[in-house]
Amino acid sequence: MTEQEVPSKVIEIAEGIKTMRIRGAGRIARAAAEALKIAALEYGGVKEVSSFKKYMGKVADLLIATRPTAVSLPNAVMYVLASLHRANPRTFEDAVNAVVFSAEKFINESINAVKIIAETAAKRIRENSTILTHCHSSVAVSAITEAYKLGRLVKVYSTETRPFFQGRITAKQLLENGVPVVQIPDSAVRYVMHEVDHVIIGADTVASNGAVVNKIGTSQVALAAKEARVRVYVVAETYKFSPTTLIGEPVPIEFRDPAEIVPESWLRNHPRVKVLNPSFDVTPPEYIDAIITEIGVIPPQAAILVLMERLGWALDKIKQGGFTKIKFEDFTE
Amino acid sequence: MTEQEVPSKVIEIAEGIKTMRIRGAGRIARAAAEALKIAALEYGGVKEVSSFKKYMGKVADLLIATRPTAVSLPNAVMYVLASLHRANPRTFEDAVNAVVFSAEKFINESINAVKIIAETAAKRIRENSTILTHCHSSVAVSAITEAYKLGRLVKVYSTETRPFFQGRITAKQLLENGVPVVQIPDSAVRYVMHEVDHVIIGADTVASNGAVVNKIGTSQVALAAKEARVRVYVVAETYKFSPTTLIGEPVPIEFRDPAEIVPESWLRNHPRVKVLNPSFDVTPPEYIDAIITEIGVIPPQAAILVLMERLGWALDKIKQGGFTKIKFEDFTE
Amino acid sequence: MTEQEVPSKVIEIAEGIKTMRIRGAGRIARAAAEALKIAALEYGGVKEVSSFKKYMGKVADLLIATRPTAVSLPNAVMYVLASLHRANPRTFEDAVNAVVFSAEKFINESINAVKIIAETAAKRIRENSTILTHCHSSVAVSAITEAYKLGRLVKVYSTETRPFFQGRITAKQLLENGVPVVQIPDSAVRYVMHEVDHVIIGADTVASNGAVVNKIGTSQVALAAKEARVRVYVVAETYKFSPTTLIGEPVPIEFRDPAEIVPESWLRNHPRVKVLNPSFDVTPPEYIDAIITEIGVIPPQAAILVLMERLGWALDKIKQGGFTKIKFEDFTE
Amino acid sequence: MTEQEVPSKVIEIAEGIKTMRIRGAGRIARAAAEALKIAALEYGGVKEVSSFKKYMGKVADLLIATRPTAVSLPNAVMYVLASLHRANPRTFEDAVNAVVFSAEKFINESINAVKIIAETAAKRIRENSTILTHCHSSVAVSAITEAYKLGRLVKVYSTETRPFFQGRITAKQLLENGVPVVQIPDSAVRYVMHEVDHVIIGADTVASNGAVVNKIGTSQVALAAKEARVRVYVVAETYKFSPTTLIGEPVPIEFRDPAEIVPESWLRNHPRVKVLNPSFDVTPPEYIDAIITEIGVIPPQAAILVLMERLGWALDKIKQGGFTKIKFEDFTE
Amino acid sequence: MTEQEVPSKVIEIAEGIKTMRIRGAGRIARAAAEALKIAALEYGGVKEVSSFKKYMGKVADLLIATRPTAVSLPNAVMYVLASLHRANPRTFEDAVNAVVFSAEKFINESINAVKIIAETAAKRIRENSTILTHCHSSVAVSAITEAYKLGRLVKVYSTETRPFFQGRITAKQLLENGVPVVQIPDSAVRYVMHEVDHVIIGADTVASNGAVVNKIGTSQVALAAKEARVRVYVVAETYKFSPTTLIGEPVPIEFRDPAEIVPESWLRNHPRVKVLNPSFDVTPPEYIDAIITEIGVIPPQAAILVLMERLGWALDKIKQGGFTKIKFEDFTE
Amino acid sequence: MTEQEVPSKVIEIAEGIKTMRIRGAGRIARAAAEALKIAALEYGGVKEVSSFKKYMGKVADLLIATRPTAVSLPNAVMYVLASLHRANPRTFEDAVNAVVFSAEKFINESINAVKIIAETAAKRIRENSTILTHCHSSVAVSAITEAYKLGRLVKVYSTETRPFFQGRITAKQLLENGVPVVQIPDSAVRYVMHEVDHVIIGADTVASNGAVVNKIGTSQVALAAKEARVRVYVVAETYKFSPTTLIGEPVPIEFRDPAEIVPESWLRNHPRVKVLNPSFDVTPPEYIDAIITEIGVIPPQAAILVLMERLGWALDKIKQGGFTKIKFEDFTE
């Protein structure tokens, strides 16, 4: 197979992910599944299982290379390719069908996931509750809104979330849904915590030991909640769970532009100053009461179970291989 | 199928559960399994698998409706119906056999469970130990008695357990088994904790994140044990593990009659007084060292594993469905 | 001096304390101060300072012997005799005046103490607060009522306080003052703690390292409050602070009648059962946010400062003497 | 004495404090001491001690009324007037001298305090240390600079301190002193804490139980430090210690303009949003390793000792009076 | 089958394990797998599956009897025999092949395990890290060396590990690999902890609830790390996970010779002294951030998952049987 | 005054301290007091107060220079010189008498201190207690022996205390007193902690914030005790309290010879190895329940109170001076 054999629509999707035209963990994941489906349907090579598998492996690697740090991307790809492996297809047609079926299944489940998580989380909220959330997470907003519809909310504290003030997006969306919101600076979290009944936060990535990587400040919020015996719920689709953490890969923490923290002019006037502007921090599992996913309410320590259940075959590959880097060609051999 | 087709013996069992003639988590569960077995053997409809499945789904819903909050009841039903699903029977006879076999298996395992748990727990008790227990749990009494027979016990502290003084039942049963018992008021738990080596308590329900719902006061006992680095063991049959907590359902906490706390006469003389009399509280998993079940000693965070292993298929249904209420007809389609 | 020289009114007061006709920490203390004043005024011996001092020392020992474990009794006596020492009187008249003056001062301060403590504590209560209290303490009732008058209270949780249900006295008095009360069993403290803003409890004795001895169960309440970052305030007059703890004397914990825990009949039917019924437990200083006394809001670790300030001279005696038992004759030499 | 008898220079100083021309805890305190000195020297009334005392009491109340919440102001006044009481002057001249002497002493000590605290704190810093500070405190900047001069610093993390970015002032001043500074958002404190050896922060007010009131976010910093066993030092002059907390007065927490948190335009577009913008929070004593004052390194629980030592006589007045408001006329009767 | 039918090479290996000629968890495990392979290949009985299974069960029991407390031994045996069960062989030849294949697979995986664990663990180490390790573990040495090769290490603290000073072996091996080592007494662990970034330790046994049994002192190290928010990684091959802990068996703690602690001569001179010299202690799961195995990075609470995945069938046997002692004959019936 | 005017007996004592002929905190302190007494009695200069004071200041500095890090030495000197200041003597004879009187008082109190502390501590020990102690402290041995005489001890765990095995001295002395002792390695402290009722340890130095500097390993013992809610008592004479910590001076931690940890031969064979051998560590006040001194049982946070009470005047000097080094000439000006 040569590079040009990859269908142009697939290339287009890959470009879309690369240039961040397609963004957001969910949208990226679904685009990748769609691309694999297209690739399977438009496959033009020899109609043999082995050849098809090899081709799909290459498409997979092509897709993953577009955003190496987005955890939902390899998860979507693994999910779809795993079906190819599990089905153990005898005929070429069976192989194509397996890919198409699982790609569609992934897309549907992904779309439903937010709704299921929101309904599940809402049931966990006590009557007359005050909730605190940090940064902006569409799943968290959905969950809080759902709890509000059940008539259980008194108030939501929403942090402003420096440096980008994503908390204002959270506040805006909640207000649109009718939810009463109080905006606070990030540093006032502990001050209001004695009033809070539940903390609900999203996740960028869930590691294999149950640690949650999320917007900088999340671990402080969780610590302050733990200190006050306030329950912390992380709401996260299962494609946020990182299989590579199982083989020791740390989740990369991006360091962003100093000018987000201090204005350019100030930086010019104080040339010796340094700025550290990390995007994420790591909340240890002992500060999280439950992770609420579309497949249920689990303790953070069961993250590995999610990985095994959802990504079983690929996981075996990873584990057996002692991989230092995931390469999908190896998976389809 | 019409309602009257359900065998009268099954109706009778359902009534028994409803009217609390049949009570206790274990007895209810076994009665339900027995009812399903009878229903299968006395099925009078069309001898086709699909028709039989539908019938069994209805019987299941009938049984579960008798005590919606008893966690062991749906667990027994799910266990038996899951076998019907797993066996994937081709003939009507195979289908009936699958139900009968798994119903009998459930009943036998349930009967053995207390014995296995007691023997397992007893092995965890150190020489010359002092144990503290709260309320009355027949599994806890068995485990403590077993440890006593191994010659490892010095003393058992048993709380009186207001308002119903179930601790006296515990004391009475332990004394009958020869175990030396010291009765204490609930408020003296922390006072004696420095002498205690192990806390052993039962469970009403185990949630999917490992939290244990049990008699009011249990979480205080566990907290005081944690403070003093005393090991806390929960002894619980696997049918105490609640699958609906996985979909966010909180375990309902019953509020009982004020007159259990203050005499009627006092209430009449003080009409403005309010009384809060909750039956249960929730002990978080971080205060529990292990849950000892008939399938082994597990950390509380592995509760979900028990749910998956024992109740696999039904669980998939629950998770996929985003169910807000479990309906067994859906399970057997 | 012979025994009969002690004025009959003094003897009468001593008898009143001994037979528990005079009871309650405050009343005992004031009665003792009154007795010392009477003794001074009715002294019939040689009108010399040294002779008078010796006489007063004996009266002091006579009073203290009536209730050896009541901490407020020796505190009152020390307070009055300390003045005799501090004034360093040259004439007999000066000596008598010193005793009379300080006895009256003690009595007045003692009467005012509850009021001052209540007003001070009330200022510490936040708007819309829910308070939890344990057992019955008249200072705690006063403080809570004062906070209620300031319009800051939503609700008070009052434990029933087994075995004697003193919580009902608390509830009754608070209800009479208009305060909304919810009665709970002792084992429900942790269950309601997430709603509580402040715990306010009295003290039987405050030890020199800041530990508080109070009704059994207090330390569990404080532990559950600490776990939930709820502030714990102990309200206590300074005569509750025990000088003998400074020389290592543990505060004696009384073990009461088993029949308070289980009925006599039950005990007869279960002759091998043992019952442990301790009256008090010890709350460590790290679980107490502040002790509120009539001389101010202090951290528990400053208890020793109160002892030094209020009881300075006698304390020096105790410390220098390496006393194992306080004997007032030695103090007045 | 009539109002106009107060010297015009004193009135002028009072105005300066009121209009915030004179600001900063130290400057306010010294201005008040100076005003009392002037008032004493320019006293034009009857040359009798009692009359002079009454006059000084009125001047004191006049000064304190200018900024009722500034803790250093009544502290300065009490310090100076206490000397008048302690000296127990027989002649009018002695009384004037006592005031003048103690006013000058207060001013000198106040000026030296920052220097002594900085030198003391610097000695506590280990070799090759990384320090974290929050907000801007001139004492903290001095202490950190002093440690840098001793060659013990590797790096200082300085939070930006929303909403007013006072952290930039801290960074600027430290950079001018040559200290290497890394600016971080408030939410990154826990992220960098594993690198930090010491936290050094200032205080707005120290309460009688050792709690420290300081810029919002301080208690989160201290909590994150405690979690990581990082030492927390509060640097504070003794006039930051609040005597009124001893009588239960909570330290008032100012709530500032919502527009400091979200821009006016945003607020107009989202009229239902609420904003909570507290200036300060309270750090409990258990999260503070030591308070470093000009009279030494003390545990936070010894705050009351500082109050007693520095403000002894006035404190007695406060305590005896059960004051709800401090009125200096009462002090000088 | 009679005892002499067991091939002499198998007997020889069994002797080697018994006499400790073959020692070390890994070597023992591999020797046992090799012995089973030999036993299968040299089986001289009736060529029927049932007979062969019985024979293999006896060989298994023979091997396990040689060192009843070595956890890796029964794990190797179970792993190999499980394959016999899973394959469900129809012919004798298939049965032999299943044993041979799985024995070789076990041996290979065991050899690779250390390498995979080391590479996985190394990826978890941050730049410029200081590591602390306790006792000697070849996996820990490999992991630390690997991290050093990645250029991430500044320093390794290695405890001397009384009484046998195995820390010197650790130091020696690390020095040979070029790693900079600082040797410290066991009691200095908390003293240096503020400099440490990661603790890496081996394991003798991992229990089913995630507790780790390792060289005495390990739990103190982990406690001091937890206190300082330092990450604790346990590196352990999966054959260190104990299946018998699942049925309540405590991991036996050996008490060794007093003369290892105090010299014989001292003991003779002080005949009344007692010495307690335990080999191991138990670190609870809450003090361990992750266990790094050859099948991935897991939270300690997922230990049971490893047991289930690796040892599935045998585990079912154990659980169903309520075994108090594992007997392999029962397994092969 | 010239150097030779110092009496030869004083010089001799100074030499004795310098060459460690006189050693042990108590003996050094008493020798210094004795030297000051001799110096006063043999003073040969001008018989004027000012000249005498100057002379005594120089003698003081001479003594202190002999062992700059021994905390009991300056404490003894300060105690004696403080009396000179307090007495404010008008005549030369009064000045000499003040020194002689306070020197003798110090010596007597010092001798009694151990006895008083032991009796006080013994009263705090519960019936049937197991005690754990670390290293060797004669006060701790006395306290434990005293508790044994009261019939309250079951067993004493004594750590071996690497590298010098001072625990064997402890064991030996306790055995001589009849106390049953179990010797354990330092790393087994947490293993036995669940059996321990009280930890009793000595102190080298107590800092002004209540932190205790003692033999390396002490802070680990205290941490393990805290984790298990076991009470930790520090027994320490008041001359162990360090006044210089009040001005920020860290207590110096000595690093001893590597050859105490690893044999010289091993060091030669492994030239790149480093060894860290600290003598002491710092136990924070929150891990200590009480410090038992000869002036009473105090919380660690009251250490500063002891400093103020015992060393008042000198302390004022230190505080006012912002001293970086204590110089006694300045004290006597």
Side-chain angles (χ1 to χ4, degrees), chain E residues 160 162 227 272 274 287, chain F residues 160 162 175 183 227 287:
Chain E
E160 59 174 4
R162 280 280 294 165
E227 184 204 14
R272 276 176 308 122
K274 285 191 182 148
Y287 294 166
Chain F
E160 57 174 7
R162 280 280 295 164
L175 289 166
Q183 190 83 341
E227 182 203 16
Y287 294 165

Side-chain angles (χ1 to χ4, degrees), chain A residues 167-176 181 183, chain D residues 258 262-275:
Chain A
R168 292 183 197 157
I169 306 174
T170 298
K172 183 184 160 73
Q173 293 185 355
L174 288 173
L175 289 166
E176 284 167 5
V181 180
Q183 190 83 341
Chain D
V262 272
E264 292 279 8
S265 58
W266 200 91
L267 285 171
R268 272 193 303 275
N269 291 335
H270 303 84
R272 277 175 307 124
V273 80
K274 286 188 182 151
V275 173

Side-chain angles (χ1 to χ4, degrees), chain F residues 69-227:
Chain F
T69 64
V71 71
S72 69
L73 180 53
N75 268 340
V77 172
M78 274 188 205
Y79 183 98
V80 175
L81 291 201
S83 71
L84 185 58
H85 178 86
R86 276 189 200 134
N88 194 18
R90 300 202 177 175
T91 68
F92 165 71
E93 284 73 20
D94 286 356
V96 172
N97 286 343
V99 167
V100 171
F101 177 80
S102 74
E104 287 173 349
K105 189 156 178 276
F106 180 88
I107 291 166
N108 286 333
E109 285 179 6
S110 166
I111 287 168
N112 281 329
V114 172
K115 191 171 163 291
I116 295 174
I117 293 171
E119 285 174 6
T120 303
K123 286 189 244 170
R124 304 285 308 173
I125 306 305
R126 282 190 289 255
E127 297 288 314
N128 297 313
S129 282
T130 293
I131 284 175
L132 184 145
T133 191
H134 180 60
C135 196
H136 177 254
S137 145
S138 55
V139 194
V141 166
S142 298
I144 294 168
T145 301
E146 194 67 26
Y148 176 71
K149 286 183 189 160
L150 297 181
R152 298 192 179 163
L153 283 201
V154 170
K155 185 161 50 177
V156 175
Y157 283 111
S158 152
T159 61
E160 57 174 7
T161 319
R162 280 280 295 164
F164 269 131
F165 302 110
Q166 291 104 319
R168 292 184 198 156
I169 306 174
T170 299
K172 183 184 158 73
Q173 293 185 356
L174 288 173
L175 289 166
E176 284 167 5
N177 296 341
V179 184
V181 180
V182 180
Q183 190 83 341
I184 56 170
D186 300 332
S187 55
V189 166
R190 191 176 177 276
Y191 181 83
V192 302
M193 192 56 83
H194 72 270
E195 272 184 71
V196 173
D197 296 289
H198 306 271
V199 168
I200 296 185
I201 41 178
D204 263 75
T205 307
V206 178
S208 67
N209 73 335
V212 167
V213 180
N214 196 41
K215 174 63 54 189
I216 188 75
T218 301
S219 75
Q220 286 182 193
V221 171
L223 173 62
K226 186 72 181 176
E227 182 203 16

Side-chain angles (χ1 to χ4, degrees), chain F:
Chain F
M1 188 185 81
T2 55
E3 191 74 24
Q4 58 269 40
E5 293 178 45
V6 177
S8 60
K9 283 188 199 161
V10 172
I11 303 275
E12 198 181 315
I13 289 172
E15 282 303 307
I17 295 172
K18 199 172 195 167
T19 59
M20 296 189 67
R21 185 173 47 77
I22 300 169
R23 59 189 299 181
R27 271 187 293 270
I28 289 172
R30 290 188 294 272
E34 183 68 25
L36 289 169
K37 177 183 160 188
I38 293 166
L41 291 171
E42 304 199 356
Y43 170 64
V46 185
K47 305 220 166 189
E48 281 172 7
V49 172
S50 67
S51 173
F52 177 70
K53 275 185 168 180
K54 208 167 184 178
Y55 161 83
M56 289 306 297
K58 286 202 176 169
V59 173
D61 285 329
L62 174 88
L63 287 166
I64 284 175
T66 57
R67 285 281 287 278
T69 64
V71 71
S72 69
L73 180 53
N75 268 340
V77 172
M78 274 188 205
Y79 183 98
V80 175
L81 291 201
S83 71
L84 185 58
H85 178 86
R86 276 189 200 134
N88 194 18
R90 300 202 177 175
T91 68
F92 165 71
E93 284 73 20
D94 286 356
V96 172
N97 286 343
V99 167
V100 171
F101 177 80
S102 74
E104 287 173 349
K105 189 156 178 276
F106 180 88
I107 291 166
N108 286 333
E109 285 179 6
S110 166
I111 287 168
N112 281 329
V114 172
K115 191 171 163 291
I116 295 174
I117 293 171
E119 285 174 6
T120 303
K123 286 189 244 170
R124 304 285 308 173
I125 306 305
R126 282 190 289 255
E127 297 288 314
N128 297 313
S129 282
T130 293
I131 284 175
L132 184 145
T133 191
H134 180 60
C135 196
H136 177 254
S137 145
S138 55
V139 194
V141 166
S142 298
I144 294 168
T145 301
E146 194 67 26
Y148 176 71
K149 286 183 189 160
L150 297 181
R152 298 192 179 163
L153 283 201
V154 170
K155 185 161 50 177
V156 175
Y157 283 111
S158 152
T159 61
E160 57 174 7
T161 319
R162 280 280 295 164
F164 269 131
F165 302 110
Q166 291 104 319
R168 292 184 198 156
I169 306 174
T170 299
K172 183 184 158 73
Q173 293 185 356
L174 288 173
L175 289 166
E176 284 167 5
N177 296 341
V179 184
V181 180
V182 180
Q183 190 83 341
I184 56 170
D186 300 332
S187 55
V189 166
R190 191 176 177 276
Y191 181 83
V192 302
M193 192 56 83
H194 72 270
E195 272 184 71
V196 173
D197 296 289
H198 306 271
V199 168
I200 296 185
I201 41 178
D204 263 75
T205 307
V206 178
S208 67
N209 73 335
V212 167
V213 180
N214 196 41
K215 174 63 54 189
I216 188 75
T218 301
S219 75
Q220 286 182 193
V221 171
L223 173 62
K226 186 72 181 176
E227 182 203 16
R229 208 191 119 193
V230 169
R231 300 277 172 82
V232 175
Y233 297 125
V234 170
V235 286
E237 302 94 332
T238 53
Y239 51 69
K240 302 280 184 69
F241 288 62
S242 161
T244 58
T245 54
L246 199 64
I247 51 164
E249 292 296 342
V251 178
I253 306 283
E254 188 187 0
F255 295 96
R256 299 181 57 87
D257 190 347
E260 292 176 13
I261 302 299
V262 272
E264 292 278 8
S265 57
W266 200 90
L267 284 172
R268 273 192 302 274
N269 290 336
H270 303 82
R272 278 175 307 122
V273 81
K274 287 191 181 148
V275 173
L276 193 76
N277 183 13
S279 297
F280 303 113
D281 64 15
V282 181
T283 302
E286 59 262 37
Y287 294 165
I288 299 165
D289 288 89
I291 302 179
I292 301 176
T293 72
E294 75 273 23
I295 63 167
V297 177
I298 62 165
Q301 293 88 352
I304 188 178
L305 210 67
V306 171
L307 287 170
M308 286 172 66
E309 233 215 349
R310 300 290 277 186
L311 306 160
W313 152 78
L315 213 61
D316 284 345
K317 278 280 180 188
I318 291 175
K319 288 186 301 192
Q320 285 160 26
F323 284 122
T324 52
K325 205 184 146 190
I326 297 176
K327 210 175 150 200
F328 275 89
E329 272 196 82
D330 303 331
F331 280 63
T332 50
E333 272 162 15

